[in-house]
Amino acid sequence: MNGIIEASQLRYRYTPKAPPVLDEITLSVPAGSALALLGPNGAGKTTLLDLILGWRSPESGRMMVKSQNPSQLRRSEAGKLMSLAAQSESITFSFPVVDYVLFGRAPHLHQLRPPSRQDRETAMEALRTVNILHLADREVTKLSGGELQLVKIARSIAQQTEILLLDEPTSDLDPGNTVRIMEIMEQQKRLGITQVFTTHDPMIASDIATHTALIRSGKLLFFGPPEQALTSDLLSRLYSTPMSVHHAGPRRIIIRGYG
Amino acid sequence: MVLTAVSLFIGRYPTPGLSSPALLRDDSVFLQVFLQLRMPRVLTAVIAGAVLGAAGCVFQMIFSNPLVEPGFLGVSQGAAFGAALSILFISSAALPVQAVSAVFAMTGLFLSYWLARKFHFGGWILRLVLAGIAVSALFASGVGFLKYAADPVSQLPDITFWLLGSLTGASWSRLISIAPITLISLTILMMFRWRLNILSLQDRSSFSLGARPHLEKLLLLFCATAAAAAVISVTGLVGWVGLIVPHIARRTLGSDARNALPGSMLIGSIYFLVSDTAARTLLTGELPLGIITSAAGAALFIIILSRKGSGEHL
């Protein structure tokens, strides 16, 4: 088995004396699949994204993206291979949306070269893909949470990478926007783009993911296909709270056991 | 350009106000004033304004903070300390003051950088900010001590005048001494103008876009600071130019550094030139430049921020 993303026995800690945030993480993601990272707050999901991105390097173990160590890749190569839609990205300056999406072209350009007309066309195309062409001239600092999420994903799409990293793409979104994001992820999946996303909503994992990693306190509780991962037993252990999985036709309905 | 030409002919010689270009031919003293005093001074103002405006723009984008300015990393206070030191112990002549203040301005920068690497608190940018604050405070107290120790009749006025900034010392030789570093730095900054947008994002985001944020930010900070240090060593502390000019540029031209950076240079030049022309012509004596730039800067700042529709974002 040789996936586009291969992690073996990863361990990571923020400072040498702190307990590991991630430990003994081994997983393999085939190209074109969608991996959902599920786990409680602080379990290490975002850190794992950072390790894939190469922004952090493991203390021990090995992370390989397309058979290369992501933190040693040439930056422009890495930027053409992977894009990141971060969960919270505070933006200080009020760029127009289209200019912000244009930033996604950076890895394709020499660092001293401004984007061309063609890059601008790619950015507009990304806006069209995400269906937010009408936002093109709005200021990025004045968008709603849902709009900003779509704009961040548009920037990733304009980056034209093989791998899309999405940190909680649907958190804080209303049901309508959540579905819009899910549709975009489904569409990227059809295009053969590999996606790794974190979420607190197991149903999104159920609907979209081809692979699921359950992470609890930095350790892999389970890694495998959603039909094996998304069970009442595993999810209850993952979140330390009763969870129950029901079936409605082809879909799973996952609810918290409360009261 | 027009403004540069016009300000060459504004002055208190031979009569207060605008002089006729014809005088250049008829009055040899005026020709001397024109060539040896006004020309280098006006050109210095243009370069100084462009540097402080550009450096301010770069600083604000790199730190993702619209309230920082080029003197931020211990540079201004370092230069002030150097100037005071020179006035007290070496000479209050223009060149030694310039040399010593330039040395200490760069010392301020390196000290801030070195401290930032030593600190164990917060991210890289926050550490730089904190180190800059600490180094500035250190040099500021040094300046305070030197002022206290200075001869109140001969030395203190020199220090005070320097601290308020002025272009009275501008000359061809001083202009030439700062021209290479400022022009090289401005060129490098201009080459990176689109890249600056990427670097203004959070480090992780710019990293994911294929940048090496630490390295690239450091290079641009170094260029901006070196140029600002060179300018400050000639002009003294001319407050508010690096702070207010990028705001005006972004307001009028948008945040995209492709426009905001050259805009900051142009507006900086104009702002500096107008302020200096006012400083040397309003009164019979020379008004410290820093007083004018600060007063006008603060007024502009208040107007910009209280204008309707100014939005929540800078």
Side-chain angles (χ1 to χ4, degrees):
Chain A
M1 107 176 169
N2 211 343
I4 191 166
I5 299 168
E6 294 269 354
S8 69
Q9 292 297 315
L10 281 186
R11 175 187 286 171
Y12 180 83
R13 47 183 118 208
Y14 288 110
T15 56
K17 282 175 193 157
V21 205
L22 288 174
D23 204 1
E24 297 169 32
I25 303 285
T26 298
L27 45 84
S28 169
V29 188
S33 53
L35 168 64
L37 304 178
L38 289 169
N41 296 110
K45 303 183 294 295
T46 302
T47 309
L48 184 53
L49 283 185
D50 285 349
L51 287 165
I52 299 173
L53 185 66
W55 175 239
R56 300 177 191 279
S57 306
E59 173 191 301
S60 61
R62 224 160 52 130
M63 171 61 82
M64 294 297 228
V65 179
K66 267 196 129 181
S67 312
Q68 286 163 300
N69 180 344
S71 56
Q72 284 169 6
L73 271 179
R74 277 173 57 118
R75 289 311 311 145
S76 57
E77 291 308 313
K80 286 179 214 166
L81 180 60
M82 289 180 272
S83 61
L84 168 76
Q87 183 191 3
S88 55
E89 181 176 295
S90 70
I91 303 166
T92 312
F93 299 104
S94 56
F95 300 105
V97 165
V98 59
D99 284 356
Y100 182 80
V101 172
L102 203 51
F103 295 164
R105 301 306 298 160
H108 297 270
L109 299 162
H110 182 269
Q111 61 182 22
L112 299 182
R113 190 175 290 274
S116 64
R117 190 177 300 269
Q118 204 169 0
D119 291 313
R120 198 167 193 86
E121 195 38 58
T122 309
M124 294 303 272
E125 194 52 50
L127 288 176
R128 228 169 278 137
T129 304
V130 183
N131 222 347
I132 49 168
L133 205 53
H134 58 284
L135 294 180
D137 297 321
R138 288 266 300 277
E139 283 177 28
V140 78
T141 43
K142 288 180 181 155
L143 300 174
S144 73
E147 290 167 334
L148 183 60
Q149 193 59 47
L150 289 163
V151 167
K152 285 193 288 188
I153 291 177
R155 192 189 77 190
S156 286
I157 289 175
Q159 206 172 329
Q160 294 179 321
T161 55
E162 291 172 52
I163 301 171
L164 215 54
L165 306 177
L166 304 147
D167 199 0
E168 305 215 7
T170 58
S171 65
D172 297 329
L173 297 193
D174 62 54
N177 276 323
T178 303
V179 169
R180 291 179 74 183
I181 302 268
M182 287 168 71
E183 281 166 358
I184 295 164
M185 291 171 72
E186 195 60 54
Q187 169 201 30
Q188 294 298 308
K189 199 165 81 183
R190 280 197 303 273
L191 291 171
I193 308 282
T194 308
Q195 299 176 74
V196 181
F197 64 99
T198 65
T199 180
H200 283 300
D201 185 347
M203 282 184 66
I204 291 175
S206 169
D207 287 336
I208 290 186
T210 58
H211 293 67
T212 326
L214 308 182
I215 302 173
R216 185 166 180 247
S217 311
K219 298 229 175 152
L220 207 52
L221 182 68
F222 185 84
F223 173 69
E227 54 273 20
Q228 288 171 29
L230 303 175
T231 62
S232 304
D233 173 47
L234 275 174
L235 288 177
S236 301
R237 273 162 59 198
L238 180 67
Y239 294 113
S240 307
T241 199
M243 302 284 290
S244 56
V245 179
H246 305 269
H247 293 270
R251 296 188 71 204
R252 283 178 207 90
I253 294 170
I254 300 164
I255 52 174
R256 292 182 294 265
Y258 176 77
Chain B
M1 291 293 233
V2 175
L3 213 63
T4 307
V6 170
S7 58
L8 280 172
F9 291 97
I10 301 179
R12 297 198 72 86
Y13 180 87
T15 51
L18 203 60
S19 324
S20 144
L23 264 177
L24 282 176
R25 197 182 56 230
D26 305 332
D27 184 341
S28 65
V29 178
F30 180 70
L31 185 67
Q32 283 303 307
V33 168
F34 186 87
L35 281 181
Q36 294 304 323
L37 293 177
R38 278 187 206 162
M39 200 101 105
R41 179 164 184 161
V42 164
L43 287 178
T44 306
V46 168
I47 290 186
V51 164
L52 294 182
C57 183
V58 168
F59 264 65
Q60 293 180 3
M61 293 200 81
I62 281 184
F63 285 103
S64 282
N65 184 339
L67 293 177
V68 297
E69 50 101 24
F72 198 62
L73 295 178
V75 176
S76 291
Q77 293 305 328
F81 181 76
L85 210 60
S86 170
I87 290 168
L88 236 64
F89 299 111
I90 305 171
S91 153
S92 55
L95 275 173
V97 170
Q98 181 192 344
V100 179
S101 66
V103 166
F104 275 90
M106 292 312 280
T107 308
L109 172 65
F110 285 118
L111 217 53
S112 300
Y113 179 68
W114 178 75
L115 264 182
R117 300 195 63 120
K118 289 250 150 204
F119 281 179
H120 292 292
F121 177 78
W124 184 72
I125 287 289
L126 181 60
R127 293 207 301 269
L128 261 181
V129 171
L130 293 173
I133 291 173
V135 171
S136 295
L138 214 61
F139 276 127
S141 75
V143 171
F145 178 76
L146 291 177
K147 280 168 87 172
Y148 177 73
D151 180 336
V153 180
S154 63
Q155 295 168 331
L156 194 55
D158 280 346
I159 297 179
T160 309
F161 195 71
W162 195 91
L163 288 179
L164 289 170
S166 166
L167 281 181
T168 36
S171 65
W172 284 115
S173 63
R174 302 188 82 189
L175 177 60
I176 289 165
S177 73
I178 63 162
I181 187 159
T182 51
L183 295 182
I184 291 171
S185 295
L186 286 181
T187 310
I188 295 176
L189 297 181
M190 275 303 279
M191 291 196 305
F192 273 87
R193 63 192 184 282
W194 188 66
R195 194 69 166 182
L196 260 179
N197 293 328
I198 309 286
L199 296 175
S200 81
L201 304 175
Q202 285 176 345
D203 281 356
R204 189 161 65 132
S205 299
S206 58
F207 180 86
S208 78
L209 291 168
R212 281 159 299 177
H214 288 202
L215 196 70
E216 292 177 40
K217 282 183 168 184
L218 208 59
L219 168 73
L220 296 185
L221 274 185
F222 182 79
C223 284
T225 307
V231 164
I232 292 171
S233 74
V234 169
T235 63
L237 299 188
V238 181
W240 278 81
V241 179
L243 187 65
I244 189 75
V245 164
H247 282 266
I248 302 173
R250 282 197 302 271
R251 281 297 152 101
T252 48
L253 302 166
S255 294
D256 188 339
R258 270 182 296 176
N259 303 323
L261 184 64
S264 293
M265 289 166 62
L266 185 69
I267 295 170
S269 289
I270 295 171
Y271 189 67
F272 213 99
L273 194 57
V274 170
S275 298
D276 183 54
T277 307
R280 67 188 169 86
T281 52
L282 280 182
L283 300 178
T284 38
E286 169 99 20
L287 213 58
L289 181 55
I291 293 179
I292 295 178
T293 56
S294 296
L300 279 169
F301 197 68
I302 293 167
I303 292 170
I304 290 176
L305 290 187
S306 49
R307 223 176 44 180
K308 255 193 177 166
S310 68
E312 304 132 66
H313 292 279
L314 295 162

